[in-house]
Amino acid sequence: MIRKFFSILFPIAVLAAGCSQLEEPAPGAPETPAGSPLMTKSVNSAEAAQAGTLLLYLDEEVALKLAEGEGTPEWDQACEELGVEYVEKLFPRTDDELSRKYGLHRWFMVSFPENQEVVEVAESMAKLNSVTGIQFNTTYERKFGSDGPIAWKPFEGRGYGEFNLPFNDPMLVDQWHYINNKDMSVALTSRTGADINVKNAWGLTAGDPRIIVAVCDEGVKYTHPDLADNMWVNKGEVPGNGIDDDNNGYIDDIYGANTTATGKPAGNPMDDHGHGTHVAGVIAGVNNNIGVVGVAYGAKIMSIKAGMSSGYFNQSDIAEAILYAHANGADVINMSFGGAASSIAVQDALATAYTRCVLVASAGNSGMPNEPADYYPIPLPNYPAALTYVLGVMSVNEAGVESAFTNWDVTAFNGVEYELYAPGESIMSTLPDDRYGYLSGTSMACPNLAGVVILLRQYVVENFPNIANDNCKVNDMVNCLMMSTADIALSTNGLPYFVRKQGAGLANLMNSIHTPAYITAYDRNGNAIDKAKLELGDDPQKTGVYEMSFAIN
């Protein structure tokens, strides 16, 4: 429900009140006056805040009234005085029990003239008793390694026969990140086996069309010949009729949604840059004897345009995109973006999505640690990748060496965590206008790992029917298998990665399939059964007496 206000703009009164200790504003951010009510209610800094919008967490009573298009005298007066133009729910559909559990129905976004000072508007909103939390609508960025022009090549590729490749997609030979045969035409430093080890795994698992991966990015060129057949289709929507047929809050969301649209939520997630199209091709490009092939070429791609062509993602759009993915059946969510600020609204959406989705995000390209280490006293954690329930993905090159640009993990399995490495340099994939090209960055490592997640998830479901219908247990087991069977990544000097550079290592799909997973199991009384050993392919009934959960030992 969107409430629109027509009013005369009045000056904003900034009032003082008691405060408690909160995060200090970052250098260069607008100052929050000491002793202001905003100090007790703001959850982040105003640095890089989007002009003209604020995210508000409201008390239950007012949230329910606004959702019905009503208000309160205090609320309406404040909106009139501040020149508020729109008040809308951050998440269009929050009627289900899970959304209420995580308080998603209490998040609203207010829009006001961009010439209004955002901190002053926040100060005035903080005076209201109904406002319990305020988040500045800051931005994240896409995470590929160069701002230079995209290196692209024409439709033709080299012959595949001499490399003994499983398919005849002509550019598969350029996708070293799947099958690295030390092809010197890719790079002089190529090392056999420095890949995700997917070639033989394709004979066991290729991705099921029932598995949906949400690409939260800048959109996807869903008409690309190497993507079109693998696009998810919303069967509850009638294309082009301008109606929200399935009543999910989005009009004509056939292949996904556009959460960056102003006014009514839109359903056209077309790519207007190329980044999202490239990511989608890595994950699930079609195996059709042309162009490239994706890691999980049998899965379906849900496109959600949460970022602008400039490469910036507003946190309000990200939060909405994550909830759309969850609500519409995504099993995996790929997030090739990030930033230094941890958003509470985004975390609420991610916590909801985690109940059914594997969450994968890029670690970032600043070459920085996520915690203080060595000669890096000031860390730069990248969110959402650094969250413990999100798989944070770092990058290696074609020699299996840690990329110079990648952010890296300091302490394994703690509260600020990147989990795994994947190939992220000179990655060949799809681009708009039916093109193909190379990109580098943790943005490219992220979809490589997302593809591995899809294939491993399918394999677990097919081989462990006793947990197949429990998304949380399946996802926990997938995470456990990947992190307990990864290869050692190399540091930038070519030696086994330094102790300070933690994480589980380079993702290896065949290792994950064939190596036993050591897990901790719990019986129905909550008693731990240490180092229970399960092998994929074993009789799943052996574990049928237990309610299983999984963790790294």
Side-chain angles (χ1 to χ4, degrees), residues 50 53-56 86-90 107-111 137 316-317:
Q50 181 186 31
T53 62
L54 277 174
L55 308 184
L56 305 179
Y86 290 98
V87 177
E88 55 188 304
K89 293 179 66 174
L90 182 57
W107 279 105
F108 284 76
M109 183 167 70
V110 295
S111 302
N137 196 10
S316 57
D317 299 331

Side-chain angles (χ1 to χ4, degrees), residues 173-177 179-195 397-401 425-426 490:
V173 70
D174 298 311
Q175 295 181 282
W176 66 265
H177 41 110
I179 308 165
N180 193 337
N181 293 327
K182 201 176 182 179
D183 179 6
M184 295 304 174
S185 68
V186 174
L188 294 177
T189 57
S190 289
R191 179 171 64 85
T192 300
D195 52 40
N397 66 13
E398 66 286 335
V401 175
E425 295 192 38
S426 299
L490 302 178

Side-chain angles (χ1 to χ4, degrees), residues 353-470:
Y354 183 69
T355 59
R356 68 162 291 136
C357 307
V358 179
L359 309 171
V360 190
S362 52
N365 304 326
S366 302
M368 294 289 288
N370 54 2
E371 296 179 282
D374 294 352
Y375 301 103
Y376 298 87
I378 301 177
L380 188 67
N382 194 67
Y383 293 96
L387 297 170
T388 56
Y389 50 91
V390 176
L391 286 173
V393 191
M394 302 166 282
S395 173
V396 297
N397 66 13
E398 66 286 335
V401 175
E402 183 183 66
S403 300
F405 57 73
T406 190
N407 289 348
W408 44 275
D409 185 60
V410 175
T411 306
F413 312 123
N414 66 354
V416 184
E417 179 65 23
Y418 307 139
E419 281 78 8
L420 288 156
Y421 289 88
E425 295 192 38
S426 299
I427 304 301
M428 168 61 68
S429 187
T430 47
L431 290 172
D433 301 323
D434 300 346
R435 300 184 303 164
Y436 301 84
Y438 295 98
L439 284 177
S440 297
T442 55
S443 271
M444 283 62 252
C446 189
N448 269 298
L449 188 68
V452 170
V453 167
I454 293 169
L455 298 187
L456 190 53
R457 191 181 193 283
Q458 177 189 353
Y459 198 82
V460 167
V461 167
E462 290 176 350
N463 286 273
F464 284 88
N466 60 312
I467 64 169
N469 295 320
D470 190 320

Side-chain angles (χ1 to χ4, degrees), residues 79-155:
C79 288
E80 182 179 357
E81 291 177 352
L82 295 172
V84 169
E85 298 165 333
Y86 290 98
V87 177
E88 55 188 304
K89 293 179 66 174
L90 182 57
F91 306 105
R93 290 292 179 268
T94 55
D95 298 331
D96 59 287
E97 182 179 347
L98 193 61
S99 296
R100 296 299 176 108
K101 174 183 176 181
Y102 288 102
L104 301 184
H105 63 296
R106 295 171 60 183
W107 279 105
F108 284 76
M109 183 167 70
V110 295
S111 302
F112 47 88
E114 292 189 1
N115 61 359
Q116 288 278 72
E117 180 57 55
V118 67
V119 172
E120 293 182 356
V121 175
E123 276 286 345
S124 293
M125 283 293 182
K127 297 185 306 181
L128 304 181
N129 293 328
S130 58
V131 175
T132 61
I134 295 177
Q135 181 172 307
F136 293 100
N137 196 10
T138 52
T139 58
Y140 286 162
E141 297 179 75
R142 70 167 84 100
K143 296 297 175 184
F144 71 89
S146 171
D147 291 329
I150 296 173
W152 69 280
K153 61 187 297 180
F155 191 76

